[in-house]
Amino acid sequence: MTDSSPTIEVLPQPPRPKRGLRALVAGLAAVVLVGGTMVAVNAFGSDDTSSTPEAPVRALLAAASAGNVNGMLDQLAPGERDALKQPVNDLVSQLERLGILGKLDLGNVNAYKLKIDGLQLDPQTRRADLAFVKITGGTANYSFDPANLPLGSFLTGML
């Protein structure tokens, strides 16, 4: 009697591609910047009720240029701000606790520099209290200095 059961060959997994921390941070910054500006911006989303639809977008981009993540979140419509701000702060606290990040001040993230010139916006009012604001022109230049990113002991131990 011969054994006709199939044989299973286990192949080694290919090595995972290494992605640099720089790419991760650059991607995160791009997502926050683009995602934050492309969100439907409530015309009265900030606490300044006299603002135009463009004002929160300009303030969001000014906060991004200053490295102020909390300031960026403050410019979102109240419901979006309430849904995101505390979880972002909690995530940073957990990353600090785990040693992935060192002490990170979300009001002054200085690992990147962002400069926006000639910003042109096109507000499109949908209703009295809601507008979409498109970025239609301008230039943005950005740089990243990983030496200014507060890495925690867990990551620095791996370097």
Side-chain angles (χ1 to χ4, degrees):
M1 177 185 249
T2 60
D3 184 14
S4 63
S5 61
T7 59
I8 299 174
E9 182 179 352
V10 178
L11 300 174
Q13 288 186 325
R16 293 179 69 186
K18 292 184 180 182
R19 294 185 181 201
L21 186 59
R22 180 180 179 150
L24 173 67
V25 173
L28 181 60
V31 167
V32 168
L33 180 61
V34 173
T37 57
M38 300 313 285
V39 167
V41 177
N42 186 328
F44 302 105
S46 69
D47 293 331
D48 178 9
T49 58
S50 67
S51 67
T52 64
E54 300 95 335
V57 175
R58 290 186 186 282
L60 183 143
L61 294 172
S65 294
N68 185 350
V69 175
N70 282 328
M72 292 169 59
L73 292 170
D74 286 340
Q75 297 310 311
L76 298 177
E80 295 165 351
R81 178 180 55 233
D82 294 344
L84 292 174
K85 190 167 185 175
Q86 192 59 50
V88 167
N89 282 281
D90 291 345
L91 175 62
V92 169
S93 293
Q94 288 300 319
L95 292 173
E96 289 173 350
R97 183 185 67 79
L98 295 169
I100 295 170
L101 286 177
K103 183 66 180 152
L104 179 63
D105 176 6
L106 288 176
N108 187 25
V109 178
N110 61 4
Y112 75 93
K113 301 291 182 216
L114 174 66
K115 186 173 189 310
I116 300 172
D117 292 311
L119 179 64
Q120 297 174 5
L121 302 174
D122 177 24
Q124 299 173 1
T125 302
R126 297 294 191 235
R127 60 179 196 241
D129 64 339
L130 181 69
F132 292 98
V133 179
K134 285 189 197 178
I135 297 175
T136 58
T139 59
N141 292 300
Y142 123 90
S143 64
F144 174 74
D145 183 359
N148 289 332
L149 187 64
L151 298 179
S153 59
F154 178 77
L155 289 180
T156 56
M158 296 175 71
L159 300 176

